[in-house]
Amino acid sequence: MGEQRYRWKGSELREQAAIIDGKQSPTKVLVNATYLHSYFREWVKGNIWIHGDRIVYAGEHLPDQVDEACEIVDCRGYVLVPGYIEPHVHPFQLYNPHSFARYAAAHGTTTLLNDNLFLLLQLDDEEALFLLQEMNALPTSMYWWCRFDGQTELEREEEQVSNARIKRWLDQEAVLQGGELTSWPKVASGDDIILYWMQEAHRRRRKIEGHFPGASEKTLVKMALFGADGDHEAMTGKEVHMRLWHGYTVALRHSSIRPDLPVLLEEMKALGIRHYDKCLLTTDGSPPAFYENGVIDWLIRIAIEHGVPVIDAYAMATINAARHYGIEHLHGSIATGRIAHINFLRSAHDPTPAQVLAKGEWVKRDGEAPPLWPTPEWSRFGIRPLSLSWELDWDDLQFSMPMGLRMENAVILKPYSVSIDTSRDRLGHDHDECFLVLLDRNGRWRVNTMLKGFSSALGGLASSYSNTGDLILIGKHKEDMMLAFRRMNEIGGGIVLAEGGDVLFELPLPLGGMMSSVEMNELMKEEKTFVRLLRERGYPFEDPVYSLLFLQSTHLPYVRVTQRGIYDVMHKTVLFPSIMR
């Protein structure tokens, strides 16, 4: 993969310099602008010259040459701030990287740091890195992480997360960090392979993003010594304080399962934290409907409402993130040489922009619908509809497991002893136990157990949306589970609910069985319907989308269903192995 196009060619740099000399016209001039100067930390007045995707000048002067093609934009009535940066995106939470980027840009978030887990587990490197190139051509700036583990027990871990693959990803200019480090317990207990990858990331000037929920001070200190630079898992003001004390950059989180930002900010104030230079803001890759109120603009609003000084609130979403990730020369400020990501606000206290420039082009104009972006040809990257070459049969729905998984909340699972009769084809609605099956996408193996706490009245659910792309079946009626599975395959992947012999709901995910091809606003409606139907059938927690995603995720306690079988996270052992079909 070649260099990002932000590394301007010599001829382009000469053109930009010619504008300063008055020998060439810029492509846009923003006049009468009141804008945030991120280095003086104050609102200033001036004019901003843009050529292509770059700010070539910001100050009191106007260009000496302006031709007919140059767009003059009068900025009176607006205040201008840099485009926002979301440092922690999971771009496969039913939406896809393209649809989320477009939606985020219309809300002023024009730079994204994306998780590569889906790409690492589902695509080969040639396909994945080709996708990175295509995403780089979008109006937004798209950067990526490099995962060091699959976040579950993988059947082919040495192949999917190999030394060669990790190094190849770390060598990509668009990759800015290693992590998130869900595998930190392995590092702490002596895994030198991941420690070596952390060192290789630092050698390439990449950051290491931790994943340390509930970590003790001793753990945080050890991980800082090993190379962790930041963490987004602080759940209290004290945990923020501890991370800042030991030099971490702390991403303050507000997400669907951890809407913590108001509490964090109030507790930080109570602890006397008044400086936010090492703080960022993140939504932690939430499902679609969570973003109805905005993306990072929503979090800036929360920060301002909870007493964070206005300029500090914008800094957490712009210059702080750019500085942390080593992209300050391109992002985070309205200053000479930066990418022309600029948000036009009606007020400094209203961070949702009326107009947005991304790479010097309008992605939102006041009173106008955002322009459509060309739809990627997903098949060129190996992202195709699900197409199973095998069929589910009744032998796959045999349950004799003495131990099941009990949901403590949306994402925490504990073991429990199964006492009900699981030999029947239908379970009663007088309890909250369901059949649970994890099926290999290629049809080689299965894991059958029970799931308690998910629903008391669910006929059948089939989902190709999961941590690894393997298939999940949940339900009380085996016939409905079979029907949901067949329909899921017919639509090329997705989430399907069946009840009483009929398909009740379907959410197609034709992009690898994991992602929708529709725009965010439509997807929000579909997700809301799915959540409503599950709640009507007894789902009691915050976020069923995350419940499906995290059934396999071994970075969370206490037991998980994985490709290798039912896995005890705390003791790192397979309790019951998967069964070959």
Side-chain angles (χ1 to χ4, degrees), residues 252-254 258-266 281 299 302-303:
L252 306 177
R253 176 174 54 187
H254 195 73
R258 296 297 320 185
D260 293 337
L261 187 57
V263 171
L264 292 177
L265 294 171
E266 291 299 326
L281 298 171
L299 274 56
I302 293 172

Side-chain angles (χ1 to χ4, degrees), residues 393-436:
D393 58 45
W394 283 102
D395 288 341
D396 293 315
L397 300 183
Q398 301 300 314
F399 297 85
S400 58
M401 187 74 69
M403 190 201 82
L405 282 61
R406 185 181 78 243
M407 300 183 70
E408 294 292 299
N409 57 35
V411 299
I412 302 299
L413 300 172
K414 288 186 175 180
Y416 83 101
S417 296
V418 177
S419 59
I420 64 171
D421 180 7
T422 60
S423 64
R424 297 175 294 169
D425 290 342
R426 298 169 68 93
L427 300 176
H429 289 193
D430 58 340
H431 58 78
D432 62 355
E433 293 175 71
C434 292
F435 299 120
L436 168 63

Side-chain angles (χ1 to χ4, degrees), residues 3-28:
E3 286 191 345
Q4 296 199 54
R5 69 186 185 90
Y6 303 148
R7 306 303 176 99
W8 294 274
K9 299 176 183 177
S11 58
E12 294 171 318
L13 297 176
R14 295 296 181 189
E15 285 184 9
Q16 294 163 9
I19 295 168
I20 306 303
D21 290 335
K23 298 176 181 178
Q24 186 166 326
S25 171
T27 53
K28 281 185 176 65

Side-chain angles (χ1 to χ4, degrees), residues 522-534:
E522 180 60 31
L523 188 56
M524 289 176 187
K525 297 175 185 177
E526 294 179 354
E527 183 204 347
K528 284 182 175 181
T529 300
F530 169 63
V531 172
R532 175 180 59 79
L533 291 171
L534 277 187

